[in-house]
Amino acid sequence: MTSNTGSSFVKTKDGVEIFYKDWGPKNAQAIVFHHGWPLSADDWDNQMMYFFNLGYRVIAHDRRGHGRSSQTDTGNDMDTYAADVAALTDHLDLKNAIHVGHSTGGGEVARYVARAKPGRVAKAVLIGAVPPIMMKTAKSPGGVPIEVLDGFRTALAMNRTQFFLDVPSGPFYGYNRSGAKIDQGVIWNWWRQGMMGGAKAHYDCIKAFSETDFTEDLKAITVPVLVVHGDDDQVVPYQNSAPLTVKLLKKGTLITYKGLPHGLCTTHPQIVNPDLLAFFKG
């Protein structure tokens, strides 16, 4: 059996270098993981190891401006993110792959899958994902107010290193909840991943993940989609996301985890991973 274990870069049409990991047999079912803001492919370590050990081919990339990819000052928008994914899947010639996205990565998956070439995608998973639209608007009254998002931008521009400690120490993993078991290593790993990327790309990405409307993307997706969300998500509020998303999908299934936070793949992999496996096999 031919193994494809390793990592490399793919160059996009505008010359950006996208870093990716590609582990496992080339002829195995491929799972492509899409990370959240402002992280990297490393945020999927647990899932990558879990599914690799089950015989899957596991792939994860660093979005442009994030992790080890080029620190771009342009193209930090959902259309370009999806085009970058298309460049990666074309480069690897993936067929019938499963695409799994968390948070911002869930938006990236929705846009990519809606536009993917026939035969490229078998299934998709949206975890704590930003669709249909995260920001509060007349159409989305339960969304996150623009003032909160502007606060993100201000904090990032003024003191990114402290901001990238505050987010994982509090709402991202639910560590601000009474009785939460805080894992300092998880906090530092979030900070490490965030600080690998570029401040300009991270700043621009706030607009991309919060203001992009994925309604038409969700309607256009024809493959089965699993929507996973914790109902104590303090970053992407549950009621404005998962239940609305699943209604727009042709073949959507919703799993709601009571009391789980935004970063549930890290805090509760023993719950999430088996449910993903069941969906992949179903």
Side-chain angles (χ1 to χ4, degrees), residues 2 69 89 116 126 131 152-153 155 173 185 245 252:
T2 303
S69 294
T89 57
L126 308 179
F152 288 0
R153 281 182 272 262
Y173 296 113
T245 289

Side-chain angles (χ1 to χ4, degrees), residues 59-97:
I59 300 162
H61 67 290
D62 292 354
R63 187 172 300 113
R64 65 168 56 211
H66 297 63
R68 289 140 292 206
S69 294
S70 301
Q71 291 198 9
T72 50
D73 64 341
T74 58
N76 303 307
D77 58 81
M78 279 294 165
D79 285 346
T80 309
Y81 296 159
D84 291 348
V85 175
L88 174 62
T89 57
D90 285 352
H91 174 70
L92 298 176
D93 194 24
L94 299 182
K95 294 182 173 66
N96 296 313

Side-chain angles (χ1 to χ4, degrees), residues 81-263:
Y81 296 159
D84 291 348
V85 175
L88 174 62
T89 57
D90 285 352
H91 174 70
L92 298 176
D93 194 24
L94 299 182
K95 294 182 173 66
N96 296 313
I98 301 167
H99 285 261
V100 181
H102 174 244
S103 196
T104 300
E108 182 178 276
V109 166
R111 181 131 303 175
Y112 166 73
V113 172
R115 301 177 177 186
K117 295 176 182 176
R120 287 282 186 225
V121 181
K123 296 181 179 180
V125 183
L126 308 179
I127 304 174
V130 295
I133 181 170
M134 183 176 170
M135 190 177 76
K136 181 178 181 179
T137 64
K139 180 182 174 181
S140 177
V144 176
I146 186 68
E147 292 80 10
V148 172
L149 299 162
D150 286 342
F152 288 0
R153 281 182 272 262
T154 299
L156 190 153
M158 292 290 291
N159 191 346
R160 184 169 66 129
T161 186
Q162 185 61 50
F163 182 46
F164 283 4
L165 278 178
D166 293 342
V167 173
S169 298
F172 200 93
Y173 296 113
Y175 289 161
N176 55 345
R177 295 304 197 204
S178 177
K181 184 180 179 181
I182 298 172
D183 188 326
Q184 195 63 47
V186 166
I187 294 171
W188 281 116
N189 191 42
W190 200 101
W191 180 89
R192 175 191 69 84
Q193 291 179 73
M195 294 307 295
M196 286 167 66
K200 176 62 166 60
H202 288 165
Y203 188 96
D204 292 349
C205 189
I206 295 172
K207 180 180 179 68
F209 73 63
S210 64
E211 297 185 31
T212 304
D213 188 340
F214 298 97
T215 299
E216 296 307 314
D217 300 291
L218 297 171
K219 289 180 179 178
I221 295 172
T222 57
V223 299
V225 181
L226 177 64
V227 181
V228 173
H229 220 102
D231 71 359
D232 193 34
D233 192 320
Q234 300 173 68
V235 178
V236 181
Y238 173 81
Q239 290 297 344
N240 195 61
S241 50
L244 304 181
T245 289
V246 79
K247 289 179 181 178
L248 293 166
L249 291 164
K250 290 180 174 69
K251 299 177 183 177
T253 302
L254 175 62
I255 295 180
T256 302
Y257 294 119
K258 185 172 178 57
L260 295 200
H262 187 61

